[in-house]
Amino acid sequence: DSTNKNEWVSLSKNIPEKYKNYISVLSIHQIGNKTVFFAFRGIFIFQNDSLLNVILPETDFRFAFKYNNHIYLRQTDIGLMEFRNDRIYMVSNGKYFADKPIYMFAPFDKNRAIVATKQNGLYLVNINNLNNFKLPADSIYTPFKTDADNYFLTNNIYHGIILNDGSYALGSTVGGVIIVDNKGHIKQTNSYHT
């Protein structure tokens, strides 16, 4: 406000009762003059505190990631999708991630993103091919082998970010944090035991 004090306003009062069982908001992104809330049971699109639209999932939505002005998200048992123009679209061979929960979608190089999955390790995604529906999955998604692959199988990756030096910090639910470089080598591990 004008006195530089935060004023909290609940937007849930603007959600019709039939959509209020959204469970939990996982990601929030500002897209132009709209604020988009990605929750398990729906995508809620607001503008000026007014609800414009709700997109319901077939199963449930998971985290949404902003990458080069695109928003990617996963729908359980459906796969990798893109949110654009207030709608969701399947990406090419998106079914590849139907059973692989995604917890990081970050830059890798000019044409690829790196994706961290809960228990299936890391993958490189050829961003330029996500809308080419004639290509096979292995020309879009390739496993990124690392020295930490066994760690990824047993420690349930839950979050990841790219660090200033270009390496990746990956947090887990049971094994602490591991940092790998862009060659897949372990730089550091932090856990209750180190």
Side-chain angles (χ1 to χ4, degrees):
D1 68 8
S2 62
T3 63
N4 291 326
K5 292 183 182 177
N6 287 329
E7 184 178 327
W8 301 102
V9 176
S10 174
L11 297 177
S12 63
K13 67 180 184 270
N14 299 336
I15 298 174
E17 196 62 40
K18 66 181 178 179
Y19 299 128
K20 286 195 175 181
N21 189 22
Y22 54 84
I23 303 207
S24 181
V25 173
L26 299 168
S27 306
I28 305 168
H29 292 283
Q30 189 71 36
I31 303 168
N33 59 359
K34 297 174 185 171
T35 304
V36 183
F37 297 84
F38 294 85
F40 283 115
R41 299 252 172 94
I43 298 172
F44 300 85
I45 305 165
F46 280 84
Q47 185 174 16
N48 300 324
D49 298 340
S50 296
L51 181 64
L52 297 180
N53 192 18
V54 176
I55 301 170
L56 299 176
E58 291 179 45
T59 57
D60 58 64
F61 293 121
R62 296 302 170 140
F63 293 99
F65 304 92
K66 194 168 196 173
Y67 181 89
N68 287 347
N69 295 315
H70 295 268
I71 305 281
Y72 297 103
L73 68 149
R74 180 181 160 271
Q75 189 172 166
T76 302
D77 299 327
I78 305 292
L80 184 62
M81 309 180 94
E82 182 179 358
F83 174 83
R84 67 180 132 81
N85 301 321
D86 297 348
R87 297 183 63 192
I88 53 171
Y89 300 89
M90 199 71 178
V91 298
S92 180
N93 292 293
K95 186 95 174 130
Y96 187 82
F97 287 101
D99 62 348
K100 297 174 184 73
I102 296 172
Y103 289 97
M104 179 182 75
F105 198 110
F108 185 77
D109 60 24
K110 182 179 175 187
N111 298 312
R112 295 178 296 178
I114 188 167
V115 168
T117 63
K118 184 175 182 179
Q119 292 178 312
N120 300 93
L122 306 179
Y123 292 85
L124 297 179
V125 177
N126 186 326
I127 295 297
N128 297 328
N129 291 342
L130 282 178
N131 290 315
N132 187 338
F133 292 88
K134 295 179 181 179
L135 295 174
D138 63 0
S139 66
I140 303 169
Y141 313 109
T142 54
F144 180 63
K145 298 296 179 194
T146 73
D147 297 338
D149 286 348
N150 286 334
Y151 174 92
F152 297 143
L153 289 173
T154 58
N155 286 286
N156 295 333
I157 298 304
Y158 194 70
H159 188 66
I161 60 167
I162 186 170
L163 301 174
N164 289 338
D165 69 355
S167 57
Y168 303 93
L170 299 150
S172 73
T173 57
V174 294
V177 175
I178 192 164
I179 299 173
V180 296
D181 64 20
N182 63 1
K183 303 281 189 236
H185 303 297
I186 298 171
K187 291 180 65 175
Q188 186 176 346
T189 58
N190 298 299
S191 72
Y192 297 116
H193 309 292
T194 59

